[in-house]
Amino acid sequence: MSTFDYDLFVIGGGSGGVRAARVAAGEAGAKVALAEEDRYGGTCVIRGCVPKKLMVFASSYGGMVEEATHYGWDLLNKGFDWTTFSGHLNKELDRLEDVYRKLLAGSGVTTYDARARVKDPHTVELSSGETFTAKHILIASGGRPIRPDLPNAHLGIVSDDIFHMESLPKSMLIIGGGYIACEFACILAGLGVEVTQYYRGAQILRGFDEEARGLIADSMRELGVDLHTGTNIVGMDCYRGEDDEGMDAPVEVTQYAMPAKDGPKDGPLKVKATNGDVKVFDQVLFATGRRPNSDDMGLEEAGVTLGRGGAIEVDEYSQTKVPSIYAIGDVTDRVNLTPVAIREGMAFVETVFHGNPTPVDHTLIPSAVFTQPELGTVGLTEEQARDQEPIEVYCTSFRPMQSAFADKHGRVLMKLIVSQESRKVLGCHIVAPGAGEMIQMAGIAIKMGATKEDFDRTVAVHPTMSEEIVTMRKPMRTA
Ligand code: NDP
């Protein structure tokens, strides 16, 4: 008989925490509790992947209607209505949250709708005042978007706020050049918002393949995004109408800038950029990165060590410095993707409740950026691979049949990076509509260690865009 209230107490009801709790309770028969202070489903379901992808779908219909007319359809496009969409979106999120709650209850997990703190290596304290002991504690508290350290940054919004907008702004400035900035630039432009994007570096999507980044940037500009690279925000303030004398003055002035309440501002904002431009936007979205939710959780007091940006330090089994405390998902800032957090949760259960130490394999993780077109990627970029060993680069770029027929200029890119020595495909990068779907399949072959010759032996599916992945015969270059 255990002397603890629970075998496992999970802090955080997002994808990783819910999966670990369900599997530990349902399959391993452990006595499990989970505390969530906000909505069940976490970032992915409530304010990330799921509502974002639904917005990607919503934003693509305008272009589809335009294309359809070239195919002979006589359609009447009366425009996009945010109120209708967000009503349906909220209902869908309610339904999904309910599914998550039922899954937990169905697995026998006790849930607490409260904020939890670690009191000591075996005790969790809830905001409700209750205290519970547990043999193991799993921290799966995720992360949150951050604003840059800039005067008046609180006037702008972050990605969490997008889904709660009462109406679509006419114009929006997006700061950043990562996943979230680029995805929302495309989504909002597709919904009819005038989008300007400032990115401080030379090219958006740092860390991805250079050629793919270039094509995505071109495609975003073609979509109507006014993308400025090498540009950042230096100041922002409330805009006080046409007589605003501050337009030519430095906008760091803060005396009159405070909004009625300490939160995002609905009225127009004027923004000064590093290139000297001062422009007015209805809204400013900061997509400038995320930070682990590890503050004020009693972690360091309990002996858990935090690394850069507050990430919980863990070993390959997701175990912290305190043997009874584990951490998974974005709060550990390893690879911040939902399926990775789920894998980490499953590996934790296997390690702790099945006595089978299971590290998480963080190599060759396929992923997609849901820009328009999408970017699907797995393995090394050309730049990473050529620093590692001699490579061949197979690459083709073309106008896809469907949109070329409708006189659209957009191009797609299919690219393979191959080791000269082992012949293994080290990386695959696809820029195309549906690239997220394609890269999942390529990811299997590459994870299995497929060589270029294995790709060549595979018969093409014709006519498709992805057939080019198996028909590129001559390397474009070696490096
Ligand atoms: P990223 O880290 O991808 O991007 C942050 C961006 O903000 C970078 O372009 C960065 O520039 C810029 N930035 C950071 N600080 C400042 C500053 N002070 N001023 C101006 N610009 C700044 O973060 P995201 O928030 O876009 O995404 C977070 C994570 O969420 C991703 O890494 C990914 O793991 C996950 N995610 C995955 C998605 C998917 O799978 N499709 C979708 C959305 C998120 P610089 O490059 O110069 O550092």
Side-chain angles (χ1 to χ4, degrees):
M1 187 71 187
S2 171
T3 53
F4 298 105
D5 297 324
Y6 292 103
D7 300 318
L8 171 66
F9 202 108
V10 180
I11 302 181
S15 305
V18 167
R19 178 63 67 91
R22 276 175 53 203
V23 179
E27 288 176 20
K31 192 177 177 200
V32 182
L34 181 147
E36 168 58 56
E37 64 174 330
D38 200 331
R39 298 184 66 181
Y40 286 70
T43 299
C44 172
V45 177
I46 303 297
R47 59 194 86 85
C49 322
V50 171
K52 180 274 306 287
K53 190 81 190 276
L54 292 170
M55 284 184 77
V56 170
F57 293 139
S59 73
S60 63
Y61 287 109
M64 277 156 77
V65 170
E66 208 181 289
E67 237 174 70
T69 58
H70 286 263
Y71 280 85
W73 286 91
D74 183 8
L75 298 172
L76 181 63
N77 178 4
K78 289 206 269 174
F80 172 74
D81 180 45
W82 172 258
T83 314
T84 304
F85 171 74
S86 65
H88 292 160
L89 177 66
N90 288 332
K91 269 198 204 129
E92 178 62 1
L93 298 186
D94 289 346
R95 186 186 73 78
L96 290 171
E97 185 179 10
D98 195 44
V99 167
Y100 268 69
R101 281 183 182 274
K102 285 190 174 132
L103 284 172
L104 285 167
S107 309
V109 177
T110 307
T111 52
Y112 296 96
D113 294 355
R115 180 171 170 77
R117 292 182 88 255
V118 172
K119 198 173 169 201
D120 67 44
H122 291 287
T123 310
V124 169
E125 196 174 34
L126 301 186
S127 50
S128 58
E130 293 162 286
T131 295
F132 296 101
T133 58
K135 187 167 183 204
H136 300 284
I137 297 171
L138 179 68
I139 317 284
S141 48
R144 63 182 185 282
I146 46 168
R147 291 175 169 80
D149 185 14
L150 178 87
N152 292 336
H154 61 282
L155 299 174
I157 61 171
V158 291
S159 59
D160 289 0
D161 304 316
I162 291 266
F163 311 111
H164 304 297
M165 292 189 303
E166 278 180 13
S167 57
L168 271 187
K170 196 167 166 303
S171 63
M172 165 103 65
L173 170 67
I174 300 180
I175 310 290
Y179 282 81
I180 294 179
C182 296
E183 290 182 343
F184 276 112
C186 293
I187 289 169
L188 293 164
L191 295 179
V193 177
E194 291 163 21
V195 178
T196 304
Q197 184 178 354
Y198 290 166
Y199 173 52
R200 63 185 178 180
Q203 185 57 282
I204 54 166
L205 295 172
R206 182 164 61 84
F208 288 89
D209 187 87
E210 293 279 352
E211 251 168 334
R213 297 166 74 188
L215 183 53
I216 295 282
D218 288 349
S219 308
M220 286 173 60
R221 289 190 172 106
E222 210 158 290
L223 201 69
V225 176
D226 185 14
L227 170 63
H228 298 256
T229 51
T231 308
N232 205 354
I233 183 172
V234 288
M236 65 192 291
D237 208 338
C238 296
Y239 176 59
R240 295 175 301 161
E242 280 171 18
D243 298 330
D244 190 338
E245 288 170 14
M247 285 296 284
D248 294 325
V251 288
E252 290 85 357
V253 184
T254 56
Q255 296 90 303
Y256 58 85
M258 299 314 288
K261 57 182 178 13
D262 188 22
K265 175 83 178 58
D266 279 337
L269 299 165
K270 59 178 181 172
V271 171
K272 186 166 186 176
T274 43
N275 61 10
D277 280 356
V278 178
K279 288 187 178 164
V280 176
F281 301 95
D282 285 339
Q283 227 154 36
V284 175
L285 168 68
F286 288 109
T288 46
R290 297 177 61 86
R291 190 185 151 86
N293 282 330
S294 58
D295 307 341
D296 190 28
M297 287 184 70
L299 294 170
E300 283 172 305
E301 296 87 323
V304 172
T305 50
L306 302 184
R308 219 169 129 244
I312 297 181
E313 289 183 352
V314 289
D315 66 12
E316 60 188 323
Y317 302 104
S318 300
Q319 191 172 29
T320 70
K321 284 274 173 349
V322 180
S324 59
I325 303 180
Y326 287 71
I328 56 165
D330 287 7
V331 76
T332 61
D333 197 19
R334 286 175 282 180
V335 180
N336 298 332
L337 298 171
T338 301
V340 176
I342 290 172
R343 286 284 168 121
E344 289 166 358
M346 304 278 281
F348 156 77
V349 175
E350 194 61 30
T351 301
V352 172
F353 291 99
H354 293 294
N356 176 26
T358 305
V360 177
D361 178 4
H362 286 108
T363 61
L364 290 173
I365 295 171
S367 72
V369 186
F370 292 98
T371 42
Q372 292 166 32
E374 297 171 5
L375 165 58
T377 189
V378 60
L380 301 180
T381 64
E382 178 178 344
E383 297 71 37
Q384 291 164 336
R386 74 179 177 216
D387 284 347
Q388 177 183 293
E389 62 181 283
I391 54 162
E392 288 176 353
V393 177
Y394 294 81
C395 188
T396 179
S397 177
F398 54 95
R399 288 171 72 198
M401 187 194 242
Q402 186 176 3
S403 54
F405 183 81
D407 271 348
K408 294 255 182 82
H409 297 293
R411 300 184 77 77
V412 302
L413 173 85
M414 305 279 158
K415 183 167 177 179
L416 291 178
I417 315 296
V418 177
S419 161
Q420 285 188 26
E421 195 194 343
S422 71
R423 304 300 301 152
K424 279 191 179 169
V425 177
L426 302 172
C428 177
H429 309 280
I430 302 177
V431 177
E437 304 289 346
M438 297 179 203
I439 206 70
Q440 181 70 81
M441 299 296 129
I444 301 170
I446 293 171
K447 188 79 184 163
M448 290 174 74
T451 61
K452 177 66 173 67
E453 286 63 37
D454 291 325
F455 275 65
D456 294 345
R457 284 192 296 114
T458 307
V459 175
V461 178
H462 183 73
T464 63
M465 289 178 279
S466 53
E467 67 181 298
E468 299 289 333
I469 284 288
V470 296
T471 56
M472 292 185 284
R473 287 289 177 262
K474 287 218 157 59
M476 176 78 82
R477 56 188 169 269
T478 56

